[in-house]
């Protein structure tokens, strides 16, 4: 037998985890990824054509201009399922493709102008994938940072002030509230970030 199912043992295929792909972030998702940390990227609506298998490696790209912003590995299937479970011949509904991030470069993406994309998901040969990922260079060393958020709040008690604080945080979020970050032990190097980017909070410096 030469069908795909002939290679499956206990539901796994020998081909699983060997593919390399490029995935294009949906419109607006790049900004969202820069605002809040996510462990995974979930994509829907990937109907038709070949799709990654669990374990396949993925280069995550942002568009306009094309640039590599992350690398990941497929953690969930993208095979379609019947729209009507009682009718296997009914129209297929694509499952969510789940990609677990293994490397992020949202703040310092690398150009990928020469890459030809055939849609939201494009298969890549291993050499092209490796050359693209190698542009990221070595992973930066992790360190400890102090992150704070200061809000002046009028309240009739400390407990009420805390409740209002979290209400404001939920309402305004990272799109409007500046967060202050500095390396641990070097508070003089504090920087303000809004919308995922460094922001000047000193009005005198804008003059």
């Amino acid at each position: 037998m030469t069908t795909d199912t002939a290679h499956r043992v206990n539901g796994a295929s020998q081909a699983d985890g060997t593919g390399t792909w490029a995935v294009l972030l949906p419109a607006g998702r790049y900004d969202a990824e820069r605002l809040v940390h996510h462990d995974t990227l979930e994509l829907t609506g990937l109907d038709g054509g070949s799709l990654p298998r669990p374990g396949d490696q993925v280069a995550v790209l942002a568009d306009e201009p094309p640039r590599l912003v992350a690398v990941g590995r497929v953690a969930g299937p993208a095979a379609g399922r019947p729209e009507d479970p009682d009718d296997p011949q009914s129209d297929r509904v694509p499952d969510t493709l789940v990609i677990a991030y293994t490397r992020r470069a949202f703040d310092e993406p690398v150009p990928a102008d020469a890459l030809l994309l055939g849609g939201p998901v494009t298969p890549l040969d291993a050499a092209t994938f490796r050359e693209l990922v190698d542009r990221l260079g070595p992973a930066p060393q992790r360190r400890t940072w102090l992150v704070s958020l200061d809000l002046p709040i009028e309240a009739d008690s400390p407990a009420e002030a805390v409740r209002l604080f979290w209400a404001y945080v939920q309402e305004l979020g990272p799109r409007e509230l500046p967060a202050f970050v500095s390396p641990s032990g070097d508070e003089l190097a504090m920087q303000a970030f809004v919308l995922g980017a460094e922001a000047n909070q000193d009005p005198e410096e804008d003059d």
Side-chain angles (χ1 to χ4, degrees), residues 133-196:
V133 172
D134 284 347
R135 297 180 193 175
L136 292 174
Q141 185 176 1
R142 297 179 67 87
R143 59 190 300 186
T144 301
W145 301 84
L146 297 179
V147 183
S148 62
L149 180 63
D150 297 326
L151 291 177
I153 295 176
E154 293 185 3
D156 54 17
S157 70
E160 179 65 14
V162 172
R163 286 191 289 270
L164 287 171
F165 171 85
W166 290 118
Y168 290 143
V169 169
Q170 290 180 330
E171 178 182 355
L172 300 176
R175 296 184 181 276
E176 298 186 44
L177 292 176
F180 299 92
V181 58
S182 64
S184 179
D186 187 9
E187 285 73 13
L188 293 179
M190 180 178 292
Q191 298 171 307
F193 277 76
V194 180
L195 292 173

Side-chain angles (χ1 to χ4, degrees), residues 1-17:
M1 296 177 64
T2 58
T3 62
D4 181 65
T5 54
H7 300 285
R8 292 187 176 274
V9 179
N10 296 328
S13 169
Q14 293 179 354
D16 288 356

Side-chain angles (χ1 to χ4, degrees), residues 27 29 47 75 95 97 123-124 126 128 159 162 167 170 172 196 202 207:
R29 185 60 189 263
D47 199 6
D95 285 342
L97 176 62
L124 300 177
T128 299
V162 172
Q170 290 180 330
L172 300 176
D202 187 350
D207 296 337

Side-chain angles (χ1 to χ4, degrees), residues 44-135:
T44 58
L46 304 176
D47 199 6
S50 59
L51 294 173
R53 299 173 180 270
D56 283 356
Q57 298 183 83
V58 177
V60 181
L61 305 175
D63 203 2
E64 298 181 358
R67 54 208 187 278
L68 176 67
V69 298
V71 181
R73 192 175 291 275
V74 177
R81 65 182 187 278
E83 185 174 21
D84 181 359
D86 296 327
D87 181 9
Q89 301 303 318
S90 63
D91 293 338
R92 309 296 288 184
V93 178
D95 285 342
T96 299
L97 176 62
V98 181
I99 300 169
Y101 288 121
T102 57
R103 174 81 183 271
R104 297 170 177 81
F106 293 106
D107 300 316
E108 296 181 356
V110 298
D113 305 76
L115 200 62
L116 298 178
L117 301 178
V121 178
T122 303
L124 300 177
D125 62 75
T128 299
F129 177 86
R130 178 48 51 195
E131 190 276 333
L132 181 63
V133 172
D134 284 347
R135 297 180 193 175

Side-chain angles (χ1 to χ4, degrees), residues 25-26 28-36 67 175 195-196:
L25 286 174
R29 185 60 189 263
Y30 174 64
D31 291 335
E33 292 292 332
R34 294 192 68 201
L35 286 179
V36 179
R67 54 208 187 278
R175 296 184 181 276
L195 292 173

